[in-house]
Amino acid sequence: MPTTEYALWAIVVLFLLLVCAMIPALVQIRRTARQAEDFLRLLELELRPTLIELKEVIGSLNRASDQVAGGLKKMDGTLEAIAEVGQTVRDVNQLAQHIVFPKLITGAALMTGLRVGLRTLLVRLVGGR
């Protein structure tokens, strides 16, 4: 039985040593946990206004992007109108080149021919007397 008694005393001593070694570790863990709570509390106090400002900035950016989108929609209609005007001008230009200009050239040639012919006629009639 003395061997069993020694083993029991050894277990008790080892248990006491374990408990004595655990006390400083538990105190340090408690101190670390308290510091972490203080840090998180401070961080929350500092980050809350920043997060509120960030939400306001995001709201402002959303409003600005909505305004830009509205402006682009307005410009889209304007650009379509400009494209239609450009197409109309192009059509009128083609019409003038294919129909009006040839007739103007023919008319100008006819008028020049008549003028020269009348001058020649007048010169012969007046000059012949």
Side-chain angles (χ1 to χ4, degrees):
M1 197 123 95
T3 314
T4 312
E5 230 176 86
Y6 291 136
L8 279 174
W9 279 110
I11 291 173
V12 168
V13 168
L14 286 174
F15 183 72
L16 283 175
L17 285 175
L18 181 65
V19 168
C20 288
M22 288 297 289
I23 289 174
L26 290 174
V27 169
Q28 182 61 37
I29 290 172
R30 183 177 174 194
R31 191 176 308 138
T32 303
R34 188 177 307 123
Q35 287 175 350
E37 285 178 5
D38 292 342
F39 176 73
L40 289 175
R41 196 173 300 117
L42 178 66
L43 190 61
E44 180 185 358
L45 289 175
E46 289 183 9
L47 281 180
R48 188 174 303 242
T50 304
L51 290 175
I52 291 171
E53 289 177 12
L54 184 61
K55 284 181 182 178
E56 291 174 0
V57 167
I58 289 172
S60 296
L61 287 174
N62 285 338
R63 285 189 298 276
S65 99
D66 290 342
Q67 289 176 351
V68 167
L72 287 176
K73 284 181 185 176
K74 289 179 183 177
M75 285 192 61
D76 187 38
T78 304
L79 291 176
E80 285 178 12
I82 290 172
E84 288 177 12
V85 167
Q87 185 62 39
T88 304
V89 168
R90 197 173 303 119
D91 292 342
V92 167
N93 186 18
Q94 286 179 353
L95 180 70
Q97 284 180 353
H98 294 325
I99 295 173
V100 176
F101 287 158
K103 293 188 188 230
L104 282 176
I105 291 171
T106 304
L110 181 65
M111 292 301 287
T112 304
L114 281 175
R115 188 176 44 154
V116 170
L118 285 175
R119 270 195 198 156
T120 306
L121 182 64
L122 283 174
V123 166
R124 287 194 182 188
L125 287 177
V126 174
R129 286 190 193 172

